[in-house]
Amino acid sequence: MTEFTGTRARRITRPDAVLPGHEAGVGPTVLLLHAGGERRRVWTPVIEVLIGAGFRCVAFDQRGHGDSDGSPQALAPFADDVAAMLAAEPPGCVVVGASLGGLAAVAALGDPAVRASVAGLVLVDVVPELDPGRARRFLADGGLLEAHAELVDDILAQVPRLRQVMAQLDVPVLLVRGDSGSPVTDGDADRLLRVVPHAAVTRIRGAGHLVARDQPVALAETVAAVTTEWPALALLRDLGAEQVEHPGGNLLDHLRRVHHQVAEWGGSRRARLAALCHATYGTDGLPHPLLPRDRRARLHATIGDDAENLVYRYGACDRSKTYAHLGTTPLPLTDRFTGEVVFLGADDLTDFALLTVANELDVARTAPLASETRSAIRALIAELGAYVPDVAGRALADPSLSGSA
């Protein structure tokens, strides 16, 4: 793996193997598992893009590959290695597995404890329900079947179990298919969707089976775009957001609706992540925190510093004192926890206003409000129009606020 700024060496010691690796970047963690016959360096251009998108990336040479030792003759040891890699990471990893790496990840997720530590799974040009004849022909054409016959036989014998594991997955799943030269067919993708109805499927044009080698930037951009919110959703579920009552369902329902609204309005990655997590520390209107403020590091690791800082400012906002100054730039925000006054300007103020409008609009749409409360929300959004005029105008035209609700 190329030495990016801040790259750190890693090592996993197994009973029968030592697996060297590297990590780079800060933010939510992506564990990258390479294909058979490859090594961790294949992920270098993918990692470069993911780091720029705000992710922390970890990659190891799998057993019997690259600088790792150990026997590569059965799937179970690969799966155990993946479990050990995940055990060394904070909860909420996104796992990206290409070919053999994807099958090892699926096998590892058969353990409920491992499954609970994962935010989502990206399968890169592989499906667990392999067609034996087609798989053998594809590997033979690439000159790989004879050298790995024992491993191939073992993997094909595991297909029923791998299918069962996939059927039990309750985490997000994305299948990234190659284009011409890929052994994954439309029928394979359809069978995966029948087993995992909540999965998504996308195709990388111009890529064969080894997507990370053929189209690394497109692969990285796809992973970044689809998986950005996965670690946050995993954290919110772990913190019990689904058990907190809120108008329109539960708190997680509300957070997801606000996130969707911010995304629909073209909010930045930071604003979208903050929208999804905006009630983590509670708010002036919802005093039930999901995470104590002395554990902010957990949210930092999940969504990154910039988004977490916005979540904190939104949750800490003393609304009566802060809203009295709406329309001024920068906006003096009073921290209800500490009494400190901080000044929001530029992007901070725009994102804060965008999040506030989206939250208030969702409340207006879902809660049984008295007419005076609905009028107060209209007035608040109108004042926030000083910072986000287009968004405020669209919100005020919503039937829940326009007087036609």
Side-chain angles (χ1 to χ4, degrees):
M1 211 163 91
T2 296
E3 294 291 323
F4 300 107
T5 301
T7 294
R8 301 164 294 279
R10 295 288 303 277
R11 182 178 296 268
I12 296 289
T13 301
R14 306 286 299 131
D16 62 341
V18 176
L19 314 176
H22 283 81
E23 66 172 271
V26 293
T29 300
V30 178
L31 175 64
L32 298 151
L33 304 169
H34 62 72
E38 292 282 4
R39 57 196 305 170
R40 71 184 188 273
R41 290 196 184 97
V42 74
W43 295 115
T44 297
V46 174
I47 288 171
E48 186 172 10
V49 175
L50 290 176
I51 289 174
F55 289 92
R56 170 179 170 265
C57 299
V58 181
F60 293 90
D61 286 336
Q62 296 195 72
R63 62 174 48 234
H65 293 73
D67 297 324
S68 292
D69 51 17
S71 172
Q73 296 177 325
L75 185 61
F78 283 97
D80 291 342
D81 293 344
V82 173
M85 295 172 193
L86 288 167
E89 301 301 330
C93 285
V94 172
V95 179
V96 179
S99 196
L100 171 63
L103 297 174
V106 173
L109 293 174
D111 182 340
V114 175
R115 197 158 60 240
S117 71
V118 169
L121 173 66
V122 180
L123 296 172
V124 182
D125 211 57
V126 68
V127 291
E129 200 165 350
L130 300 168
D131 177 89
R134 186 151 39 87
R136 292 182 191 280
R137 287 192 297 274
F138 178 80
L139 292 170
D141 290 344
L144 297 173
L145 181 59
E146 186 174 350
H148 302 286
E150 191 172 348
L151 176 60
V152 172
D153 288 344
D154 183 72
I155 288 174
L156 292 174
Q158 301 294 325
V159 165
R161 176 175 173 271
L162 297 175
R163 186 182 190 279
Q164 182 180 27
V165 172
M166 291 300 296
Q168 296 171 343
L169 284 186
D170 56 359
V171 300
V173 175
L174 171 67
L175 169 62
V176 179
R177 297 176 56 185
D179 199 5
S180 59
S182 166
V184 178
T185 67
D186 291 343
D188 292 331
D190 290 342
R191 278 189 292 276
L192 177 69
L193 291 174
R194 285 196 291 271
V195 175
V196 192
H198 65 271
V201 179
T202 190
R203 174 173 279 170
I204 304 293
R205 299 296 178 186
H209 179 56
L210 299 176
V211 183
R213 186 175 292 279
D214 297 337
Q215 293 290 342
V217 173
L219 173 59
E221 290 175 344
T222 298
V223 170
V226 174
T227 69
T228 292
E229 286 82 22
W230 287 5
L233 284 169
L235 175 62
L236 291 168
R237 289 193 176 98
D238 186 56
L239 295 176
E242 288 176 298
Q243 279 69 59
V244 179
E245 292 186 4
H246 196 280
N250 57 56
L251 180 56
L252 184 59
D253 294 333
H254 166 69
L255 297 173
R256 296 186 77 165
R257 290 194 303 267
V258 174
H259 163 264
H260 177 77
Q261 186 62 76
V262 168
E264 184 178 295
W265 286 338
S268 64
R269 178 180 185 273
R270 175 207 193 195
R272 297 195 310 272
L273 284 170
L276 188 57
C277 300
H278 71 266
T280 302
Y281 306 123
T283 70
D284 207 352
L286 182 72
H288 181 90
L290 298 174
L291 190 68
R293 287 179 293 122
D294 60 3
R295 296 177 61 196
R296 288 179 63 181
R298 188 171 181 192
L299 188 59
H300 270 287
T302 302
I303 63 175
D305 291 353
D306 286 348
E308 190 279 336
N309 185 62
L310 180 58
V311 171
Y312 178 81
R313 294 300 175 204
Y314 183 83
C317 174
D318 184 318
R319 294 179 178 178
S320 63
K321 294 179 180 178
T322 301
Y323 290 177
H325 299 282
L326 287 177
T328 62
T329 303
L331 174 68
L333 182 148
T334 300
D335 188 317
R336 66 188 177 95
F337 301 125
T338 67
E340 177 190 13
V341 176
V342 297
F343 290 86
L344 301 184
D347 292 342
D348 289 340
L349 183 50
T350 298
D351 287 345
F352 177 84
L354 178 64
L355 173 52
T356 303
V357 173
N359 178 74
E360 297 298 326
L361 180 59
D362 186 69
V363 171
R365 286 170 170 170
T366 59
L369 302 176
S371 58
E372 58 269 24
T373 303
R374 204 171 293 275
S375 295
I377 291 176
R378 278 199 298 269
L380 172 60
I381 292 176
E383 289 186 283
L384 290 163
Y387 313 116
V388 285
D390 292 343
V391 164
R394 293 168 70 178
L396 291 170
D398 189 87
S400 66
L401 291 174
S402 66
S404 58

